[in-house]
Amino acid sequence: MFPTSFLRKFLVVVAAAAVLAACGSSKTNKGGNFSTKGLRPPVASCKVKPSRLGLAEKIRDIDERNGCQVTNAWKVESLGSVRFSQPAIMNCGVADPLYTWLEDVVQPTAQRSFGESIVSIDVAASYACRPRNKRSGAKMSEHGFGNAIDIAAFTLESGRRITIAEGWWGSRDERRFLHTVHDRACGSFHTVLGPDSDRAHRDHLHLDLQNRANGSTYCR
Ligand SMILES: [Zn+2]
């Protein structure tokens, strides 16, 4: 048994920490402040379990109590035959369209462009509690809902890497491949951003499923 005085001190410390955490999260977040005004949580349900599409496991839901939250959270390490450079944390709704895009768009386009398949993608970001474009004061990024993935490169069977930073403006085959997979992500993903959108996306493709009230897409 702990002495009562120790227990009392312990409880005071815990309560103080809880108050600090609550104050801290409402004002400043690790990635700077952001606004959540007008944001609609994503549809995080899914018809197919990600573990049936690749190497994936269900993890505990995330709620940082500042707007950043992932319901139906999964840690995904591969989809189909495509490995991820690092595990991606996403809500369940993201895995199926990502799998379909990789299998039905990326792989056939890689075959046409290079005569070989993609074996892995460089995941630059998945779940991240931060403002859009890491710009303090902006709206919370869809990454804060585990509703987005950033892809910086595709690696072929031969080991050749096609990076967004170089390939977007690079050789004909790399340009054609990257522009095609970017353009054809639009629709199954609601937001698709690449180097043509702004400097923040000069080195990766951002794909998300933002739940806009009017159901529109934004692809650039
Ligand atoms: Zn992104």
Side-chain angles (χ1 to χ4, degrees), residues 78-141:
S78 74
L79 285 174
S81 50
V82 179
R83 286 192 316 273
F84 292 7
S85 61
Q86 58 171 324
I89 308 291
M90 60 184 72
N91 72 59
C92 197
V94 176
D96 196 13
L98 186 57
Y99 167 84
T100 305
W101 174 71
L102 288 169
E103 291 295 309
D104 295 355
V105 175
V106 174
Q107 293 296 25
T109 308
Q111 282 296 341
R112 273 200 305 279
S113 304
F114 311 111
E116 45 180 327
S117 300
I118 298 295
V119 291
S120 70
I121 54 170
D122 283 25
V123 173
S126 54
Y127 170 71
C129 189
R130 61 169 168 80
R132 288 180 187 172
N133 296 345
K134 299 178 185 159
R135 198 163 46 80
S136 193
K139 267 193 192 166
M140 186 185 86
S141 166

Coordinates of all heavy atoms in Angstrom, one line a residue, residues 78-141:
S78 N 1.6 -2.9 -46.7 CA 1.6 -3.1 -48.2 C 0.2 -3.3 -48.7 O -0.7 -3.5 -47.9 CB 2.4 -4.4 -48.5 OG 1.7 -5.6 -48.1
L79 N 0.0 -3.0 -50.0 CA -1.3 -3.3 -50.6 C -1.0 -4.0 -51.9 O -0.2 -3.6 -52.7 CB -2.1 -2.0 -50.8 CG -2.7 -1.3 -49.6 CD1 -3.3 0.1 -49.9 CD2 -3.8 -2.2 -48.9
G80 N -1.7 -5.1 -52.1 CA -1.5 -5.9 -53.3 C 0.0 -6.3 -53.3 O 0.5 -6.7 -52.3
S81 N 0.7 -6.1 -54.4 CA 2.1 -6.4 -54.5 C 3.0 -5.3 -54.2 O 4.2 -5.3 -54.5 CB 2.4 -7.0 -55.9 OG 1.8 -6.0 -56.9
V82 N 2.5 -4.2 -53.7 CA 3.2 -2.9 -53.5 C 3.6 -2.7 -52.0 O 2.7 -2.6 -51.2 CB 2.5 -1.7 -54.0 CG1 3.3 -0.4 -53.8 CG2 2.2 -1.9 -55.5
R83 N 4.9 -2.8 -51.7 CA 5.3 -2.5 -50.3 C 5.4 -1.1 -50.0 O 5.7 -0.3 -50.9 CB 6.7 -3.1 -50.1 CG 6.8 -4.6 -50.0 CD 8.3 -5.0 -49.5 NE 9.3 -4.2 -50.1 CZ 9.9 -4.6 -51.3 NH1 9.5 -5.7 -51.9 NH2 10.8 -3.8 -51.8
F84 N 5.2 -0.7 -48.7 CA 5.3 0.7 -48.3 C 6.7 0.9 -47.7 O 7.1 0.0 -46.9 CB 4.2 1.1 -47.3 CG 2.8 1.1 -47.9 CD1 2.6 0.7 -49.2 CD2 1.8 1.6 -47.2 CE1 1.3 0.8 -49.7 CE2 0.5 1.7 -47.7 CZ 0.2 1.2 -49.0
S85 N 7.3 2.0 -47.9 CA 8.7 2.3 -47.3 C 8.6 2.4 -45.8 O 9.5 2.1 -45.1 CB 9.2 3.6 -47.9 OG 8.4 4.7 -47.6
Q86 N 7.4 2.8 -45.3 CA 7.2 2.8 -43.9 C 5.7 2.5 -43.7 O 4.9 2.8 -44.6 CB 7.6 4.2 -43.3 CG 6.8 5.3 -43.9 CD 7.1 6.6 -43.2 OE1 7.2 6.6 -41.9 NE2 7.1 7.8 -43.9
P87 N 5.3 2.0 -42.5 CA 3.9 1.7 -42.3 C 3.1 3.0 -42.4 O 3.5 4.0 -41.9 CB 3.9 1.1 -40.9 CG 5.2 0.7 -40.6 CD 6.1 1.6 -41.4
A88 N 1.9 2.9 -43.0 CA 1.1 4.1 -43.1 C -0.2 3.9 -42.2 O -0.8 2.9 -42.2 CB 0.6 4.3 -44.5
I89 N -0.4 5.0 -41.4 CA -1.6 4.9 -40.5 C -2.7 5.6 -41.3 O -2.6 6.8 -41.7 CB -1.4 5.7 -39.2 CG1 -0.1 5.2 -38.5 CG2 -2.6 5.6 -38.3 CD1 -0.2 3.8 -37.9
M90 N -3.9 5.0 -41.5 CA -5.0 5.6 -42.2 C -6.3 5.0 -41.7 O -6.3 4.0 -41.0 CB -4.8 5.2 -43.7 CG -4.8 3.7 -44.0 SD -4.6 3.3 -45.7 CE -2.8 3.7 -45.9
N91 N -7.4 5.8 -42.0 CA -8.7 5.2 -41.6 C -9.0 4.2 -42.7 O -8.5 4.2 -43.8 CB -9.7 6.3 -41.5 CG -10.1 7.0 -42.8 OD1 -10.6 6.3 -43.7 ND2 -9.9 8.3 -43.0
C92 N -9.9 3.3 -42.3 CA -10.2 2.2 -43.2 C -10.7 2.5 -44.6 O -10.4 1.8 -45.5 CB -11.3 1.3 -42.5 SG -11.3 -0.4 -43.2
G93 N -11.3 3.7 -44.7 CA -11.9 4.1 -46.0 C -10.8 4.4 -47.0 O -11.1 4.4 -48.2
V94 N -9.6 4.7 -46.6 CA -8.5 5.0 -47.6 C -7.9 3.8 -48.3 O -7.5 3.9 -49.4 CB -7.4 5.8 -46.9 CG1 -6.3 6.2 -47.8 CG2 -8.0 7.1 -46.3
A95 N -7.9 2.7 -47.6 CA -7.1 1.5 -48.1 C -7.7 1.0 -49.4 O -6.9 0.7 -50.3 CB -7.1 0.4 -47.0
D96 N -9.0 0.9 -49.5 CA -9.6 0.2 -50.7 C -9.3 1.1 -52.0 O -8.8 0.5 -53.0 CB -11.1 0.0 -50.5 CG -11.6 -1.0 -51.5 OD1 -10.8 -1.7 -52.2 OD2 -12.9 -1.1 -51.6
P97 N -9.6 2.4 -52.0 CA -9.3 3.2 -53.2 C -7.8 3.2 -53.5 O -7.4 3.2 -54.7 CB -9.9 4.6 -52.9 CG -10.3 4.6 -51.5 CD -10.4 3.2 -51.0
L98 N -7.0 3.2 -52.4 CA -5.5 3.2 -52.7 C -5.1 1.9 -53.3 O -4.3 1.9 -54.3 CB -4.8 3.4 -51.3 CG -3.3 3.6 -51.4 CD1 -2.9 4.7 -52.3 CD2 -2.8 3.8 -49.9
Y99 N -5.6 0.8 -52.8 CA -5.4 -0.5 -53.4 C -5.8 -0.6 -54.9 O -5.0 -1.0 -55.8 CB -6.1 -1.6 -52.6 CG -6.1 -3.0 -53.3 CD1 -5.1 -3.9 -53.2 CD2 -7.2 -3.4 -54.0 CE1 -5.1 -5.1 -53.8 CE2 -7.3 -4.6 -54.6 CZ -6.2 -5.5 -54.5 OH -6.3 -6.7 -55.1
T100 N -7.0 -0.1 -55.2 CA -7.6 -0.1 -56.5 C -6.8 0.7 -57.5 O -6.5 0.4 -58.6 CB -9.0 0.3 -56.5 OG1 -9.7 -0.5 -55.6 CG2 -9.7 0.2 -57.8
W101 N -6.3 1.9 -57.0 CA -5.5 2.8 -57.8 C -4.2 2.2 -58.1 O -3.7 2.2 -59.3 CB -5.4 4.1 -57.1 CG -4.4 5.1 -57.7 CD1 -4.7 5.8 -58.9 CD2 -3.2 5.6 -57.2 NE1 -3.6 6.7 -59.1 CE2 -2.7 6.5 -58.1 CE3 -2.4 5.2 -56.1 CZ2 -1.4 7.1 -57.9 CZ3 -1.2 5.8 -55.9 CH2 -0.7 6.8 -56.8
L102 N -3.6 1.6 -57.1 CA -2.3 0.9 -57.3 C -2.4 -0.2 -58.3 O -1.6 -0.3 -59.3 CB -1.7 0.4 -56.0 CG -1.2 1.4 -55.0 CD1 -0.9 0.8 -53.6 CD2 0.1 2.1 -55.5
E103 N -3.4 -1.1 -58.2 CA -3.6 -2.2 -59.0 C -4.1 -1.9 -60.4 O -3.6 -2.4 -61.4 CB -4.6 -3.2 -58.4 CG -4.0 -3.9 -57.1 CD -2.8 -4.8 -57.4 OE1 -2.9 -5.6 -58.3 OE2 -1.8 -4.6 -56.7
D104 N -5.1 -1.0 -60.5 CA -5.7 -0.7 -61.8 C -5.2 0.4 -62.6 O -5.4 0.6 -63.8 CB -7.2 -0.5 -61.6 CG -8.0 -1.7 -61.0 OD1 -7.3 -2.8 -60.9 OD2 -9.1 -1.6 -60.7
V105 N -4.4 1.3 -61.9 CA -3.9 2.5 -62.6 C -2.3 2.4 -62.6 O -1.7 2.4 -63.6 CB -4.4 3.8 -62.0 CG1 -3.7 5.0 -62.6 CG2 -5.9 3.9 -62.1
V106 N -1.8 2.4 -61.4 CA -0.3 2.5 -61.3 C 0.4 1.3 -62.0 O 1.3 1.5 -62.8 CB 0.1 2.6 -59.8 CG1 1.7 2.5 -59.7 CG2 -0.4 3.9 -59.2
Q107 N 0.0 0.1 -61.7 CA 0.7 -1.1 -62.3 C 0.6 -1.1 -63.8 O 1.6 -1.2 -64.5 CB 0.2 -2.4 -61.7 CG 0.6 -2.6 -60.2 CD 2.1 -2.7 -59.9 OE1 2.9 -2.2 -60.7 NE2 2.4 -3.3 -58.8
P108 N -0.6 -1.0 -64.4 CA -0.7 -1.0 -65.9 C 0.1 0.2 -66.5 O 0.7 0.0 -67.5 CB -2.2 -0.9 -66.2 CG -2.9 -1.1 -64.9 CD -2.0 -1.0 -63.8
T109 N 0.1 1.3 -65.8 CA 0.8 2.5 -66.4 C 2.3 2.2 -66.3 O 3.0 2.6 -67.2 CB 0.4 3.8 -65.6 OG1 -1.0 3.9 -65.6 CG2 1.0 5.0 -66.3
A110 N 2.7 1.6 -65.2 CA 4.2 1.3 -65.1 C 4.6 0.3 -66.2 O 5.6 0.4 -66.8 CB 4.5 0.7 -63.7
Q111 N 3.7 -0.7 -66.5 CA 4.0 -1.7 -67.5 C 4.1 -1.0 -68.9 O 5.0 -1.2 -69.6 CB 2.9 -2.7 -67.6 CG 3.0 -3.8 -66.5 CD 4.3 -4.7 -66.6 OE1 4.9 -4.7 -67.7 NE2 4.6 -5.3 -65.5
R112 N 3.2 -0.1 -69.1 CA 3.2 0.6 -70.4 C 4.4 1.6 -70.5 O 5.1 1.7 -71.6 CB 1.9 1.5 -70.6 CG 0.8 0.7 -71.2 CD -0.3 1.7 -71.8 NE -0.7 2.6 -70.8 CZ -1.7 2.3 -69.9 NH1 -2.2 1.1 -69.9 NH2 -2.0 3.2 -69.0
S113 N 4.8 2.2 -69.4 CA 5.9 3.2 -69.4 C 7.2 2.6 -69.4 O 8.2 3.1 -70.0 CB 5.7 4.2 -68.3 OG 4.4 4.8 -68.3
F114 N 7.4 1.5 -68.6 CA 8.7 1.0 -68.3 C 8.9 -0.5 -68.6 O 10.0 -1.0 -68.5 CB 9.1 1.2 -66.8 CG 8.9 2.6 -66.3 CD1 7.8 2.9 -65.4 CD2 9.6 3.7 -66.8 CE1 7.6 4.2 -64.9 CE2 9.4 5.0 -66.4 CZ 8.4 5.3 -65.4
G115 N 7.7 -1.2 -68.9 CA 7.8 -2.6 -69.1 C 8.0 -3.4 -67.9 O 8.5 -4.6 -67.9
E116 N 7.8 -2.8 -66.7 CA 7.9 -3.6 -65.5 C 6.9 -3.1 -64.4 O 6.3 -2.0 -64.6 CB 9.4 -3.6 -64.9 CG 10.1 -2.3 -65.0 CD 11.5 -2.3 -64.4 OE1 11.8 -3.1 -63.5 OE2 12.3 -1.5 -64.9
S117 N 6.9 -3.8 -63.3 CA 5.9 -3.5 -62.2 C 6.5 -2.6 -61.2 O 7.8 -2.6 -61.0 CB 5.3 -4.7 -61.6 OG 4.7 -5.5 -62.5
I118 N 5.7 -2.0 -60.4 CA 6.1 -1.3 -59.2 C 6.1 -2.2 -58.0 O 5.2 -3.0 -57.8 CB 5.1 -0.1 -58.9 CG1 5.0 0.9 -60.0 CG2 5.4 0.5 -57.5 CD1 6.2 1.7 -60.3
V119 N 7.2 -2.2 -57.3 CA 7.3 -3.1 -56.1 C 7.1 -2.4 -54.8 O 6.7 -3.0 -53.8 CB 8.6 -3.9 -56.1 CG1 8.6 -5.0 -57.2 CG2 9.8 -3.0 -56.1
S120 N 7.4 -1.1 -54.8 CA 7.2 -0.3 -53.6 C 7.0 1.2 -53.8 O 7.3 1.7 -54.9 CB 8.4 -0.5 -52.6 OG 9.5 0.2 -53.1
I121 N 6.4 1.8 -52.8 CA 6.2 3.3 -52.9 C 6.9 3.9 -51.6 O 6.9 3.2 -50.6 CB 4.7 3.7 -52.9 CG1 3.9 3.1 -51.8 CG2 4.1 3.3 -54.3 CD1 2.5 3.6 -51.6
D122 N 7.4 5.1 -51.8 CA 7.9 5.8 -50.7 C 6.8 6.6 -50.1 O 6.3 7.5 -50.7 CB 9.0 6.8 -51.1 CG 10.4 6.1 -51.4 OD1 10.3 4.9 -51.7 OD2 11.4 6.8 -51.3
V123 N 6.4 6.2 -48.9 CA 5.3 6.9 -48.2 C 6.0 8.1 -47.4 O 6.8 7.8 -46.5 CB 4.6 6.0 -47.2 CG1 3.6 6.7 -46.3 CG2 3.9 4.9 -48.0
A124 N 5.7 9.3 -47.8 CA 6.3 10.5 -47.2 C 5.5 10.9 -45.9 O 6.1 11.4 -45.0 CB 6.4 11.6 -48.1
A125 N 4.2 10.6 -45.9 CA 3.4 10.9 -44.7 C 2.1 10.2 -44.8 O 1.6 9.9 -45.9 CB 3.1 12.4 -44.7
S126 N 1.5 9.9 -43.7 CA 0.2 9.3 -43.6 C -0.5 10.1 -42.5 O -0.7 11.3 -42.7 CB 0.1 7.8 -43.5 OG 0.9 7.4 -42.3
Y127 N -0.9 9.4 -41.4 CA -1.5 10.2 -40.3 C -0.5 11.2 -39.8 O 0.6 10.9 -39.5 CB -1.9 9.3 -39.2 CG -2.4 10.1 -38.0 CD1 -3.5 10.9 -38.0 CD2 -1.5 10.2 -36.8 CE1 -3.9 11.7 -36.9 CE2 -1.9 11.0 -35.8 CZ -3.1 11.7 -35.8 OH -3.4 12.5 -34.7
A128 N -0.9 12.5 -39.7 CA -0.1 13.5 -39.1 C -1.0 14.6 -38.6 O -1.8 15.1 -39.3 CB 0.9 14.1 -40.2
C129 N -0.8 15.0 -37.4 CA -1.6 16.0 -36.7 C -1.0 17.4 -37.0 O -0.1 17.8 -36.3 CB -1.7 15.7 -35.2 SG -3.0 16.8 -34.4
R130 N -1.4 18.0 -38.1 CA -0.8 19.3 -38.5 C -1.7 20.1 -39.4 O -2.7 19.6 -39.9 CB 0.5 19.0 -39.2 CG 0.4 18.2 -40.4 CD 1.7 18.2 -41.2 NE 1.8 17.2 -42.3 CZ 1.3 17.4 -43.5 NH1 0.6 18.5 -43.8 NH2 1.5 16.5 -44.4
P131 N -1.4 21.4 -39.5 CA -2.2 22.2 -40.5 C -1.8 21.9 -41.9 O -0.8 21.3 -42.2 CB -1.7 23.7 -40.2 CG -0.5 23.6 -39.4 CD -0.3 22.2 -38.9
R132 N -2.7 22.3 -42.9 CA -2.4 22.1 -44.3 C -1.1 22.7 -44.7 O -0.8 23.9 -44.3 CB -3.5 22.6 -45.1 CG -4.8 21.8 -45.0 CD -5.9 22.4 -45.9 NE -7.1 21.7 -45.6 CZ -8.3 22.0 -46.0 NH1 -8.5 23.1 -46.8 NH2 -9.4 21.3 -45.7
N133 N -0.3 22.0 -45.5 CA 1.0 22.5 -46.0 C 1.9 23.0 -44.8 O 2.8 23.8 -45.0 CB 0.8 23.7 -46.9 CG 0.1 23.3 -48.2 OD1 -0.1 22.1 -48.5 ND2 -0.4 24.3 -48.9
K134 N 1.6 22.4 -43.6 CA 2.4 22.8 -42.4 C 2.5 24.3 -42.1 O 3.4 24.8 -41.6 CB 3.8 22.2 -42.5 CG 3.9 20.7 -42.7 CD 5.3 20.1 -42.9 CE 5.2 18.6 -43.1 NZ 6.4 18.1 -43.8
R135 N 1.4 25.0 -42.6 CA 1.4 26.4 -42.5 C 0.5 26.8 -41.2 O -0.7 26.5 -41.2 CB 0.8 27.1 -43.7 CG 1.0 28.5 -43.9 CD 0.8 29.0 -45.4 NE -0.5 28.4 -45.9 CZ -1.7 28.9 -45.6 NH1 -1.8 30.0 -44.9 NH2 -2.7 28.4 -46.2
S136 N 1.2 27.3 -40.2 CA 0.5 27.6 -39.0 C -0.7 28.5 -39.2 O -0.6 29.5 -40.0 CB 1.5 28.3 -38.0 OG 0.9 28.3 -36.7
G137 N -1.8 28.2 -38.6 CA -3.1 29.0 -38.7 C -4.0 28.5 -39.8 O -5.1 28.9 -39.9
A138 N -3.5 27.6 -40.7 CA -4.3 27.1 -41.8 C -5.3 26.0 -41.2 O -5.3 25.7 -40.0 CB -3.4 26.4 -42.8
K139 N -6.2 25.5 -42.1 CA -7.1 24.5 -41.6 C -6.3 23.2 -41.3 O -5.2 23.0 -41.9 CB -8.1 24.2 -42.8 CG -9.4 25.0 -42.6 CD -10.4 24.4 -43.5 CE -11.6 25.4 -43.6 NZ -12.5 25.2 -44.7
M140 N -6.9 22.4 -40.5 CA -6.2 21.1 -40.2 C -6.2 20.3 -41.5 O -7.1 20.2 -42.3 CB -7.0 20.3 -39.2 CG -6.4 19.0 -38.7 SD -7.5 18.0 -37.6 CE -8.4 17.1 -38.8
S141 N -5.0 19.6 -41.7 CA -4.9 18.8 -42.9 C -5.7 17.5 -42.8 O -6.0 17.0 -41.7 CB -3.4 18.4 -43.0 OG -3.2 17.3 -43.9

